[in-house]
Amino acid sequence: MSPLSSRCVTYFDCLRFLLAQVVVIGHGFGFFFGYWGGFFPSKAPYIQSVAVVGFFFVSGFLICRSAMANIRHKGGDYMRYYVDRLSRVYVTLIPCLIFVFLVDLLFSFQFSDFELGVNLTFSTFFKNLLLIPSMPFGTMRPIWSLMFEWWIYILFGGIVFFRKNWIFSAICIGIGGYYTFRVNAKGEAGHLELIWMAGAVASLVFERIRKYEYSRYIAWASLSFAIIIYFLTCDAYNIFAGLLFSSGLLFIAVHFNGSEVSFDSRVSWCFNKLAGYSFTLFLTHYTVLYWLHKMGASGAVGLFLAFVLANIIAFIIASVTENYHKHVSAKALSFIAGIRERMPAR
């Protein structure tokens, strides 16, 4: 499997950053313009939910490529896969949960009409920490999608690395499959696991289409049909629109991977940094928007203030947490390797 070109890597960094911003703006419209239950979703689908669909596709694509590289170059180390996933999620999730708890607790003393306070309990905290499908903790509403995605990670790892440790993998397939298909797929978001799987399949066929000459035309056609279906149905989780949207994102990647267009190194560096706090922004922005709205912010000024503040807070938190997930993963894998070396040979 050939590595993605620098142009394609920059494209995915840019995509992750933009999708996160769309989620913030979509929730901002709801809070500061009163669009929930009115314009959204009666006239248009929730744009933040469409962005989540994009996130699931990108996740499936990149994680499958990473797993295949693991198998090809490192012999299929299932421990590496799960440590990488644990580090990627929990290095960000734990600080974000603490941030939400502290902010919600602080402002709950000032506002008696904190309707989400009923979920600010230790029981909900630990369920969210373990990513067991449940009510979100306080104002961390977006965590529902991570609860969905996490069990796809578990299921996928169990399937891909089954031959390396079949007992452990069978447990992962059983638990991951239960939460993915039995629990999460019955929610309002529908079958987002199919979008994730489409991303995984796309990563496998990418080598065959990576230099396809008409990729950009297919991309625009797919995105155009997706937009039409989205507006006809006003359903952000329409599976046909989601698959067309995913197809559009895929063929844009194909175009960037094979085109002669090059990005300035400073542009690539910039988008890499911006994408580096997208996960933190996704988990914390709702808290910022919620409390600013409670304090009376509204309209364009409220949206602008919330947008800027949410990004600044997420950037600061991520600079000491999310940005170090690879370092934490490397340390954990080194520690595990040391334990394995000291174990007596069988």
Side-chain angles (χ1 to χ4, degrees):
M1 181 178 290
S2 304
L4 299 175
S5 70
S6 61
R7 297 179 298 274
C8 198
V9 171
T10 300
Y11 161 71
F12 277 110
D13 284 340
C14 177
L15 185 58
R16 287 164 54 210
F17 169 71
L18 291 177
L19 290 173
Q21 301 304 323
V22 170
V23 172
V24 177
I25 293 171
H27 282 140
F29 279 140
F31 275 118
F32 303 112
F33 288 95
Y35 279 5
W36 289 340
F39 183 81
F40 299 117
S42 62
K43 293 182 171 54
Y46 291 111
I47 58 173
Q48 64 269 28
S49 299
V50 175
V52 168
V53 173
F55 270 125
F56 269 70
F57 170 78
V58 172
S59 173
F61 183 90
L62 296 179
I63 289 176
C64 185
R65 283 190 66 87
S66 176
M68 293 305 103
N70 180 357
I71 292 173
R72 175 166 295 187
H73 303 295
K74 301 180 178 69
D77 187 350
Y78 73 95
M79 188 62 69
R80 178 179 296 275
Y81 170 81
Y82 283 107
V83 168
D84 282 346
R85 289 299 89 209
L86 282 165
S87 301
R88 181 68 182 102
V89 170
Y90 279 96
V91 167
T92 302
L93 175 59
I94 293 175
C96 288
L97 275 169
I98 294 172
F99 167 79
V100 170
F101 171 70
L102 293 176
V103 172
D104 283 357
L105 185 64
L106 174 65
F107 283 100
S108 65
F109 292 122
Q110 311 298 323
F111 297 90
S112 59
D113 59 338
F114 178 31
E115 63 274 14
L116 300 180
V118 295
N119 297 320
L120 203 66
T121 65
F122 284 109
S123 174
T124 306
F125 179 90
F126 284 109
K127 285 180 180 178
N128 281 213
L129 181 64
L130 297 175
L131 294 173
I132 297 172
S134 57
M135 293 300 296
F137 179 69
T139 56
M140 191 182 270
R141 306 292 290 177
I143 197 174
W144 71 265
S145 65
L146 182 58
M147 293 175 182
F148 201 136
E149 197 169 0
W150 173 251
W151 297 104
I152 298 177
Y153 294 164
I154 300 299
L155 172 63
F156 177 77
I159 294 172
V160 172
F161 299 100
F162 188 82
R163 295 175 62 186
K164 295 298 177 180
N165 189 322
W166 69 268
I167 296 177
F168 179 72
S169 291
I171 294 172
C172 290
I173 292 171
I175 297 176
Y178 171 77
Y179 281 116
T180 297
F181 299 109
R182 180 78 175 177
V183 179
N184 290 325
K186 292 184 177 181
E188 293 181 4
H191 290 284
L192 278 176
E193 77 279 3
L194 298 182
I195 302 297
W196 197 97
M197 292 174 188
V201 172
S203 73
L204 298 176
V205 303
F206 192 75
E207 296 299 308
R208 298 182 181 181
I209 61 174
R210 58 184 293 148
K211 293 184 178 180
Y212 190 62
E213 184 178 357
Y214 301 105
S215 57
R216 59 180 173 177
Y217 302 113
I218 298 176
W220 293 123
S222 297
L223 292 174
S224 297
F225 282 117
I227 291 172
I228 291 171
I229 296 174
Y230 277 133
F231 276 96
L232 286 176
T233 63
C234 291
D235 179 10
Y237 299 118
N238 182 284
I239 193 62
F240 299 107
L243 291 173
L244 285 168
F245 180 37
S246 300
S247 174
L249 297 181
L250 169 64
F251 280 100
I252 293 176
V254 171
H255 172 68
F256 277 113
N257 198 71
S259 71
E260 299 299 324
V261 177
S262 61
F263 294 112
D264 186 281
S265 59
R266 290 170 295 185
V267 173
S268 298
W269 178 87
C270 181
F271 278 118
N272 179 261
K273 291 298 180 182
L274 291 173
Y277 73 93
S278 59
F279 188 18
T280 301
L281 178 65
F282 183 79
L283 291 176
T284 59
H285 76 277
Y286 196 97
T287 301
V288 177
L289 272 61
Y290 179 90
W291 288 115
L292 280 176
H293 178 255
K294 281 287 186 185
M295 287 187 283
S298 63
V301 174
L303 177 58
F304 177 77
L305 178 62
F307 179 83
V308 173
L309 188 59
N311 274 272
I312 291 174
I313 290 174
F315 183 84
I316 293 172
I317 295 174
S319 67
V320 293
T321 57
E322 182 177 355
N323 291 343
Y324 289 92
H325 73 89
K326 291 183 179 179
H327 177 76
V328 172
S329 177
K331 287 288 187 181
L333 287 169
S334 177
F335 177 75
I336 292 171
I339 294 177
R340 285 176 168 178
E341 289 178 359
R342 291 193 293 270
M343 291 178 66
R346 294 181 179 180

